[in-house]
Amino acid sequence: MIPTANLPEAVIRTAAEAAAVWRRTPVHDRTAVLLRAAQIYGTRSEDLARTMAQEMGKPISQGREEIRSCIRILEYTANEADALLRGDTIASEPGSSARVALLPTGVVLGIMPWNYPHYQLIRLIAPNLLLGNGVLFKHARLCGSSALAVAEIFAAAGAPAGLVADSQFTHAQTGSAISHPAITGVSFTGGDTAGAAIARAAGGAVKKVVLELGGNDPVIVFDESRVDELARTLATARLSNAGQTCVSPKRIIVRADIMPQFVTRFSAQFLAATPGDPLLEETVLGPLATAGAGQSLREILRSAVANGIDVRGDSAELERTGRNFSPQLIVNPPRNHAVWTEELFGPVAILHSAVDVSEAISLANDSVYGLGATVYTSNVVEGERFLAELECGMISLNGPKGGSPAFPFGGVKRSGFGRELGSLGIREFANQQLIVEHHNARTDVSSGSSGRNSYGRSSSGRSSSAAPPDHMPH
């Protein structure tokens, strides 16, 4: 259960008042704020990337790329405003029209993690500001300076005071905020245990919640013509952000006949990486966010070694302490050990062979998580089967999913529910309001005219076969 505590009412009241003004702000003025925020992100990119390196260890070159992703999201959301805000037209009976309009609901509370201090927030903020909502967020304690920078950027871009704000809630105050009447929805990104607690709290308060939780993403390599290329590409991807990415290629499933070649090529690149200073341009692998994260990983790996599992890499790493963590490779682990079942949030890669498509699907789906998956195969029939049977919210065939702001992000199973970004993401915290308009003029019965009025009732009072418009089943 999430504890509760007295809230600083001023921050919520200010956000609610700002959202009440913002919902009446013309769309072109909302998009102007998003575009100005993108410009400010561009001018502050170096400073923001440096702060991330200092706060949570992201290599500065990767921090710049995170800021570029934020800019792309803001620009896309502003430039595609008409399409994103367009509702649905629904077929209706003659004489009437029906549509669904996307309307704001109020203030969304975002509870965010540390691994992508800006990107995680922008993918919540951008669509909700376009829609007309406000966003109050609680960021991870590690990222206090980054959180402050986000609020400053939107204030400088012209958003009403308090519309986008760092709440600085404590853990206990977050529980109270979820039930506060001014909060109309909750978005949480983090671990599945905490996500379940957030969902229970939101459900008890009858609030919409979106959960983006853990991932143990599989990558299936069945294309024998690309072994060397894919080994290098996936090694680089697994090292990105020190492996602290929910959609990182954590379990790489390789067809058995090409497994030896893949292991050799992958190991040569992956295990050669060494932790470095995140402020240096040449650093590829930065430190973990916390020393505690390193300790947890080492405990799992020590257990794997004790159980005879094939763990490759610098064995001395398992006896070290601290945030720096050298890469570790695990080959063909049993499916009942934590190295397979848990999300390893660090530079640890799992390689597992599969004799055929059926075994590869069984391995890939053998997880409580279902966030993303990637498949490489030159066989069209194999590809179609993988697409049909893999249990995940996002899948890519023969290439990376990419980071397009138009692509909805989210998973199934214990990876959560709901979507962020794109046409699906903007609907999560929208009032998808049904509007039915009747176009036939109603006959004034008091005038004595005969015939039927628009409600299907004769002027004599006898009912026709048509039901009145308010006779709707529930």
Side-chain angles (χ1 to χ4, degrees):
M1 175 176 291
I2 299 175
T4 59
N6 292 333
L7 277 171
E9 288 283 338
V11 68
I12 296 183
R13 183 173 63 252
T14 300
E17 291 170 353
V21 172
W22 186 247
R23 69 179 294 143
R24 297 191 297 272
T25 300
V27 171
H28 64 82
D29 290 339
R30 298 181 204 163
T31 60
V33 168
L34 295 177
L35 291 173
R36 283 195 293 271
Q39 292 173 346
I40 297 169
Y41 261 108
T43 60
R44 293 190 58 183
S45 175
E46 194 67 20
D47 171 57
L48 298 172
R50 180 171 292 274
T51 298
M52 285 189 280
Q54 293 167 334
E55 285 187 319
M56 49 74 62
K58 189 188 299 290
I60 194 164
S61 61
Q62 296 174 26
R64 293 191 198 102
E65 181 53 42
E66 178 173 339
I67 299 305
R68 285 192 286 270
S69 294
C70 294
I71 294 170
R72 287 192 292 269
I73 292 169
L74 290 163
E75 291 179 341
Y76 164 82
T77 305
N79 293 332
E80 297 298 322
D82 289 346
L84 291 171
L85 292 173
R86 186 178 301 127
D88 303 312
T89 301
I90 303 174
S92 58
E93 296 180 358
S96 67
S97 61
R99 58 192 171 93
V100 171
L102 306 182
L103 302 178
T105 53
V107 179
V108 178
L109 174 64
I111 306 169
M112 296 291 117
W114 45 260
N115 57 337
Y116 286 88
H118 288 269
Y119 169 75
Q120 294 283 172
L121 276 171
I122 293 303
R123 72 185 193 189
L124 173 68
I125 292 169
N128 277 287
L129 257 60
L130 176 63
L131 180 63
N133 288 333
V135 177
L136 192 61
F137 58 88
K138 177 189 181 299
H139 217 324
R141 291 181 179 177
L142 278 177
C143 303
S145 295
S146 294
L148 180 61
V150 173
E152 289 175 347
I153 286 170
F154 282 94
L163 184 72
V164 178
D166 176 11
S167 69
Q168 300 186 6
F169 290 154
T170 65
H171 178 58
Q173 288 171 335
T174 302
S176 299
I178 290 172
S179 61
H180 194 284
I183 300 298
T184 57
V186 183
S187 177
F188 173 80
T189 299
D192 52 308
T193 300
I198 294 292
R200 285 192 293 271
V206 197
K207 304 288 178 70
K208 176 68 179 288
V209 62
V210 169
L211 300 179
E212 196 278 280
L213 308 178
N216 203 356
D217 284 15
V219 177
I220 297 173
V221 179
F222 267 47
D223 189 343
E224 66 275 9
S225 69
R226 302 177 63 185
V227 173
D228 290 356
E229 169 207 345
L230 293 175
R232 291 191 300 270
T233 299
L234 294 173
T236 299
R238 186 65 184 120
L239 292 169
S240 179
N241 207 33
Q244 301 167 120
T245 303
C246 55
V247 290
S248 182
K250 299 185 179 77
R251 298 179 299 145
I252 303 172
I253 300 164
V254 185
R255 202 175 68 202
D257 62 314
I258 58 177
M259 178 73 160
Q261 180 185 355
F262 188 92
V263 171
T264 300
R265 300 294 188 272
F266 185 92
S267 300
Q269 180 154 340
F270 185 71
L271 296 180
T274 57
D277 183 346
L279 290 170
L280 298 179
E281 291 296 330
E282 63 270 22
T283 298
V284 172
L285 176 61
L288 298 177
T290 66
Q295 187 61 27
S296 297
L297 270 180
R298 292 180 183 102
E299 289 176 2
I300 291 173
L301 292 171
R302 284 196 292 267
S303 170
V305 171
N307 282 277
I309 295 173
D310 185 358
V311 180
R312 306 178 188 183
D314 180 3
S315 60
E317 179 58 60
L318 306 191
E319 303 307 321
R320 295 185 183 124
T321 60
R323 295 171 60 194
N324 286 337
F325 197 101
S326 60
Q328 301 289 307
L329 175 61
I330 302 172
V331 180
N332 286 328
R335 293 162 66 173
N336 62 352
H337 192 275
V339 294
W340 180 262
T341 60
E342 294 190 20
E343 178 183 24
L344 303 183
F345 226 51
V348 179
I350 309 293
L351 299 185
H352 205 298
S353 61
V355 296
D356 56 21
V357 172
S358 294
E359 185 178 19
I361 291 172
S362 175
L363 286 163
N365 288 341
D366 183 27
S367 175
V368 297
Y369 300 108
L371 192 53
T374 306
V375 175
Y376 294 94
T377 177
S378 58
N379 185 304
V380 175
V381 174
E382 284 182 353
E384 290 300 320
R385 186 175 172 198
F386 282 125
L387 293 178
E389 297 187 29
L390 291 180
E391 299 166 351
C392 56
M394 305 173 288
I395 188 167
S396 179
L397 181 63
N398 292 322
K401 181 177 74 68
S404 170
F407 294 169
F409 187 102
V412 296
K413 301 199 287 190
R414 285 192 72 87
S415 288
F417 46 77
R419 294 295 182 266
E420 295 178 303
L421 295 178
S423 60
L424 299 184
I426 199 168
R427 291 174 178 247
E428 291 290 356
F429 296 109
N431 172 11
Q432 300 183 54
Q433 185 183 70
L434 172 66
I435 300 172
V436 181
E437 297 184 64
H438 296 271
H439 306 299
N440 292 340
R442 177 176 179 175
T443 301
D444 186 356
V445 177
S446 64
S447 67
S449 60
S450 61
R452 299 187 184 278
N453 61 33
S454 61
Y455 295 160
R457 186 175 297 275
S458 68
S459 57
S460 64
R462 292 188 296 272
S463 176
S464 72
S465 60
D470 58 346
H471 185 69
M472 299 178 69
H474 293 276

